[in-house]
C-alpha cells in the first residue's frame, strides 16, 4: 500500500502546469492599463520562484487511483481541489480551489465549480499584476492565500466556506459560503428559507441584541450598533437580502459579516448564530434545514 501511495504522489507531482493558466495571466496583465506595453510574464518571472499548479481533477488516473485507497476515496468524492502556488520569498501566493463532485444536478455542480475556478484564476492573475506593479515602483511585499473549509457535511446539508487572505502591509480576510441541499440537489439561498422578507428585520434585530450583549460581557468587543457609547458615522441597521450565511452542524442559521462590515478591522470576520426559536414562525419549511 505504501509503495502504491508513493507512486501516486510522484504521478501527482509530475502533472504539468496547464498552458491555459499562462495565457490567462498574460491576458490579465496586458489588460492592466498601469503596466508597460512591453512587459511579458511567464512562469519563469523570477529565478528563485516556485510555481506549482496541481489538482486531483487534472488527472483522471490519479483520481481513480486515490478512490481505491481506503478513506481517501470518500474525501475525493465530496471535494477535490486545484492549487496555484508562487513563492520567491518576497511575493507569495497559495491558492486552493475547491470542486464539488458527485452531485446528480450537474448544472449546479458545474456552475459552482466554474465559479470557484474563475475566482481562483482571477486571484492569481490579480496577484501577478500587483507583484509586477510593485516591482516597477521600487518593490515591496504582497501575498495572497485562499482555501476552503467544510462547515457542515451530513446526509442532508453541505456548507462550504471559501476564504481569501490578502497581505499588503496588513492582512485582510474575507469569507463566502455556499450551502447545498444534497437530497433535493439545489443551492439553498437565504430568502428560500423564509415565507417572506420579514426575516430581514427579525434577523437584524436579533443580531443587534447579540452585539450589545457581547459588548457588555467583553469590553474588547466593539460593534457599530445604536444604543451603545460608540460614536461612528454609520451604524449597522439591517442585513442584506442575500446576507452571507451558512447552516452549521447543529442545524442552526449562522449569519456572517466581512471585516469592517459591522465592526472595526481588528474584529475580523464576525458571525452570529441565530436562535431557531427566533425564526420558527417565519421559516418556509420548519425543521427541514433549520433545527
Amino acid at each position: 500500500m505504501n509503495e502504491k501511495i508513493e507512486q501516486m504522489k510522484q504521478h501527482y507531482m509530475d502533472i504539468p502546469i496547464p498552458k491555459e493558466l499562462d495565457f490567462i495571466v498574460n491576458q490579465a496583465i496586458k489588460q492592466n492599463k498601469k503596466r508597460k506595453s512591453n512587459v511579458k510574464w511567464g512562469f519563469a518571472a523570477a529565478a528563485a520562484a516556485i510555481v506549482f499548479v496541481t489538482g486531483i481533477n487534472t488527472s483522471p488516473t490519479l483520481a481513480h487511483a486515490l478512490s481505491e485507497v481506503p478513506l481517501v476515496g470518500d474525501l475525493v468524492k465530496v471535494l477535490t481541489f486545484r492549487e496555484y502556488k508562487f513563492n520567491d520569498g518576497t511575493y507569495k501566493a497559495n491558492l486552493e480551489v475547491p470542486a464539488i463532485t458527485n452531485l446528480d444536478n450537474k448544472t449546479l455542480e458545474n456552475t459552482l465549480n466554474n465559479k470557484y475556478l474563475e475566482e481562483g484564476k482571477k486571484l492569481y492573475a490579480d496577484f501577478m499584476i500587483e507583484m509586477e506593479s510593485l516591482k516597477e515602483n521600487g518593490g515591496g511585499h504582497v501575498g495572497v492565500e485562499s482555501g476552503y473549509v467544510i462547515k457542515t457535511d451530513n446526509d442532508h446539508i453541505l456548507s462550504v466556506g471559501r476564504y481569501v487572505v490578502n497581505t499588503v502591509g496588513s492582512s485582510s480576510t474575507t469569507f463566502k459560503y455556499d450551502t447545498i441541499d444534497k437530497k433535493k440537489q439545489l443551492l439553498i439561498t437565504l430568502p428560500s428559507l423564509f415565507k417572506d422578507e420579514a426575516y430581514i428585520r427579525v434577523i437584524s434585530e436579533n443580531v443587534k441584541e447579540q452585539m450589545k450583549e457581547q459588548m457588555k460581557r467583553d469590553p474588547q468587543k466593539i460593534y457599530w450598533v445604536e444604543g451603545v457609547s460608540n460614536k461612528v458615522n454609520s451604524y449597522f441597521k439591517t442585513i442584506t437580502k442575500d446576507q452571507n450565511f451558512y447552516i452549521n452542524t447543529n442545524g442552526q442559521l449562522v449569519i456572517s459579516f466581512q471585516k469592517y462590515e459591522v465592526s472595526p478591522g481588528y474584529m475580523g470576520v464576525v458571525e452570529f448564530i441565530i436562535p431557531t426559536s427566533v425564526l420558527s414562525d417565519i421559516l418556509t419549511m420548519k425543521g427541514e434545514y433549520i433545527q
Side-chain angles (χ1 to χ4, degrees), residues 24-61:
I24 290 166
V25 172
N26 278 309
Q27 286 297 103
I29 290 173
K30 289 177 182 178
Q31 293 172 3
N32 189 324
K33 296 180 181 179
K34 294 181 181 180
R35 293 193 47 133
K36 297 179 180 179
S37 59
N38 64 343
V39 174
K40 294 183 180 179
W41 257 101
F43 293 105
I50 301 173
V51 183
F52 182 45
V53 182
T54 65
I56 292 174
N57 56 327
T58 64
S59 173
T61 302

Side-chain angles (χ1 to χ4, degrees), residues 91-105:
Y91 307 101
K92 300 177 182 179
N94 184 5
L95 312 178
E96 287 189 357
V97 180
I100 296 173
T101 65
N102 282 357
L103 280 176
D104 292 332
N105 185 345

Side-chain angles (χ1 to χ4, degrees), residues 61-121:
T61 302
L62 179 63
H64 175 72
L66 285 174
S67 68
E68 295 178 352
V69 180
L71 298 181
V72 176
D74 292 336
L75 296 176
V76 172
K77 291 174 184 177
V78 175
L79 288 172
T80 62
F81 62 91
R82 176 176 289 183
E83 290 183 289
Y84 300 93
K85 289 189 177 183
F86 184 99
N87 186 350
D88 71 352
T90 303
Y91 307 101
K92 300 177 182 179
N94 184 5
L95 312 178
E96 287 189 357
V97 180
I100 296 173
T101 65
N102 282 357
L103 280 176
D104 292 332
N105 185 345
K106 292 304 176 184
T107 299
L108 175 60
E109 181 178 296
N110 293 334
T111 298
L112 291 173
N113 290 343
N114 287 336
K115 177 176 71 173
Y116 301 156
L117 185 57
E118 289 305 313
E119 286 176 349
K121 289 176 179 179

